Amino acid sequence: MFTDRMSNVLDLQQRLERHGYIAERSLAATLLLTLEMRRPLLLEGEAGVGKTEVAKALARLSDTRLIRLQCHEGLDVHSALYEWNYQHQLLAIKLLEQDDRPLSSKEQDIFSERYLLKRPLLEAITTTPAPVLLIDEIDRTDEAFEAYLLELLSDFQISIPELGVIRALERPIVILTSNGTREISDALRRRCLYHYVDYPDFGKELAIVRAQAPEMPAKLAQQVVEFVQAVRQLDIQKKPGIAETLDWAAALLRLGVSTFDEEGIDRIMDSLSTLVKTRDDQAGFTRPVVERLAAAC
Amino acid sequence: MLTDSHCATDTAPPELADAMMSRYVGFAGWLRENGFHVTSSDMAAAMDVAQRTGQFDSLLLRWSLRAWLCSRAEEWRRFDELFDAWFLAPNRHALVETRVGGAGKLTTHGDGTARDSSEGTPLSLVGHGTDAAQADGKTAEHGMSREASLMHADFRHLNQPDELFAIDEAIRRFVQRLRGMQMRRERRAASGRLIDMARTIRLSVAHGGVPLELAWRRKRRVRPRIVMLLDVSRSMSLYSFFFMRLARVISARLSDVHCFIFHTRLVGIAQALRDPDPWRSQERLQLLSAGWAGGTRIGDSLDEFNQRHAAALLHSRTAVMIVSDGYDAGDPAALQHALRRMRRRCRCIVWLNPLAGRPGFTPSSVGMAAAMPYLDLMTGASDLASLERVLPHVLSVLQ
């Protein structure tokens, strides 16, 4: 016997699954809260646990556009919010010289939306129906840029000196992701809901592999996931994420592996490069190690 | 009779609401006590969330409150047990006890005042009679051990004004030089100026719209990032506080500084140092300082840094500053391996050794000898005067 709320959460979870994202129930509950309250959601977690996919699935699910802002060091207002189209403005000034209209109306013309280049953030708040705005890897920007985001994320408005304040027509669904490259400011955290995305447990990962690689035999899928889960327990530099699991599963399928026997282990050794991605880690994966891991699956 | 019962049902709902309210507000307060960043508006919001999700499904309530009240990964990990402790009555008492006994809960103030009377000199550490021997200048090699000490350090002197001002002054000069310093990347990228169109158009107004004067876009300046790794093991106890103060001043002055302390393991202290409230900063450090003045395993600690933080923190403009005397109880090969890996990722490694300022010093300790090939600069710094002598060298390596 579930409460109404719980059935809503389960419903959202199922709809996410139909759109290709397998979420735990707790994540579904958080997403429901995000959708209802239209508050930004900050997702943290290791690389490759499917943070970005959440936004994509949400966009598919609500059948809206996904607007993505990939953050990088040195990202500034011009490439994230808006920029005036200066070349066109200059042309327009030249053309308007012959015009007899008063100066003030010319000026209004030049600083009108026609000459405004919308960058992702401005686009997100002026689009209807409300899109999903994905601000990816927010930790890669610098603190100055975070400060620009504050106005957007708390009031959903952007002030442009020449035009005035542009308010969101509809509040977009905002998803921020971070790998913890840099500590994000408390001011930004306070404005967001928070969810930590962990590496998936066995059941979830198996469900993901089955969903993404349906042609894989059930027994092999199980072994693959068990192997990857065991690899994550090891003391290695770069733990494989879900993306790596899927790559590896695809590689094994292509190499024609059906079970983890003697020949299967040869194939595993061949395809390890999809799973283990630093030199030191690869040096650690000798044949005996792989055999031991495979035997346990 | 009838009226009586009628009255009872009438008054019950507000009481219930009050009780609920105090329960949730209390929970937010409980989180705050345990080091969460919870504001009063969050408390009201928590109530709102609780009403929205319904209060009878404990799982939903847990997930929703967690999304609302947590704001970082460490809070996320601790939330569940705090939630249990607050809302599941039978657990509550037991859990609080284990938290106080373990490394979790904040140390109480009573503890601090007790130390206050027993300790006078700034650098002494609580409960160790051998401190006097070390103060003579013989840094204790016998202090080298593999065990982590269970002692917490006394951080009251972290904010002592007198020395702090002097350090601040020295660091201010250092930071000024650092800001003015031109990095190689900037020197190389002298070509290709960009026109600042917005300002060019503004300037063109005076010439009737003809852009005669051009305005140039100013390049963003990139600064070196500094990662400080402070050895706070027993053999370093004479100098640890000085370097902690240094770290606190540097983190306040520069934005891209990341500090860690290590003894037998590695602990990040950047957040605690940056806390604007000096008392909170002290409390947080006290929490983190378990193992202070214990043994040293430099190699393992650096390796831990490589594993957990290097990918995120080290890049081609990072200067790693290690402060340690090089007395390592671990395997020198491990130290060498860790440094080799670190060196590949960063711009330079500067090793400040408090002992190196002494006449006749040679880097002969096993750890130091193992480390030497990977260092860009190894120099002595044990107090403010020697630090000021050293800082120009550090700058020249950074360049």
Side-chain angles (χ1 to χ4, degrees), chain B residues 109-352:
Chain B
H109 297 285
D111 205 12
T113 45
R115 282 172 192 176
D116 212 347
S117 54
S118 65
E119 298 294 329
T121 52
L123 292 171
S124 54
L125 288 158
V126 185
H128 275 263
T130 45
D131 272 350
Q134 287 176 38
D136 289 337
K138 296 177 281 172
T139 307
E141 270 172 78
H142 59 262
M144 235 159 79
S145 74
R146 289 178 167 274
E147 287 77 42
S149 126
L150 291 175
M151 184 174 65
H152 282 276
D154 184 353
F155 285 95
R156 276 170 301 139
H157 308 291
L158 192 63
N159 291 294
Q160 240 182 17
D162 47 349
E163 199 189 14
L164 211 55
F165 283 135
I167 296 182
D168 195 48
E169 189 51 32
I171 291 304
R172 197 177 56 80
R173 287 195 293 273
F174 173 69
V175 167
Q176 240 165 17
R177 295 275 307 279
L178 196 71
R179 287 219 186 96
M181 195 176 79
Q182 199 178 27
M183 293 185 70
R184 187 164 167 274
R185 172 180 291 209
E186 288 169 331
R187 281 204 304 278
R188 303 288 304 168
S191 62
R193 288 195 295 172
L194 281 176
I195 291 180
D196 183 344
M197 287 302 266
R199 278 181 53 224
T200 304
I201 291 177
R202 293 264 150 76
L203 289 175
S204 78
V205 171
H207 308 288
V210 184
L212 283 179
E213 290 172 65
L214 297 180
W216 300 99
R217 203 173 261 191
R218 235 184 247 162
K219 288 243 171 70
R220 264 183 86 253
R221 302 211 61 194
V222 280
R223 301 290 84 207
R225 169 183 288 169
I226 297 179
V227 171
M228 292 187 82
L229 301 168
L230 308 180
D231 184 346
V232 294
S233 60
R234 182 145 175 71
S235 58
M236 282 285 289
S237 58
L238 203 54
Y239 311 104
S240 300
F241 279 95
F242 169 71
F243 284 107
M244 285 290 277
R245 269 175 231 170
L246 183 74
R248 182 158 159 84
V249 173
I250 289 190
S251 341
R253 288 249 170 217
L254 283 172
S255 60
D256 208 1
V257 177
H258 307 264
C259 297
F260 297 85
I261 51 176
F262 66 90
H263 27 82
T264 49
R265 64 198 173 83
L266 185 85
V267 184
I269 54 167
Q271 285 300 311
L273 282 182
R274 215 166 255 149
D275 204 316
D277 179 353
W279 292 110
R280 254 186 80 88
S281 171
Q282 277 180 38
E283 282 192 332
R284 289 171 74 163
L285 282 171
Q286 209 146 39
L287 241 176
L288 294 170
S289 70
W292 184 276
T296 335
R297 283 199 295 261
I298 307 179
D300 292 353
S301 305
L302 295 190
D303 197 47
E304 197 181 334
F305 175 82
N306 281 334
Q307 300 259 359
R308 284 178 41 206
H309 306 285
L313 286 181
L314 298 187
H315 57 34
S316 60
R317 301 193 309 278
T318 311
V320 178
M321 202 185 269
I322 302 173
V323 179
S324 170
D325 54 9
Y327 288 126
D328 186 8
D331 182 8
L335 174 64
Q336 223 159 11
H337 178 70
L339 278 172
R340 186 164 56 231
R341 267 175 58 190
M342 195 183 282
R343 184 66 188 82
R344 256 190 263 145
R345 287 193 120 136
C346 66
R347 167 137 209 94
C348 62
I349 302 182
V350 175
W351 189 300
L352 298 184

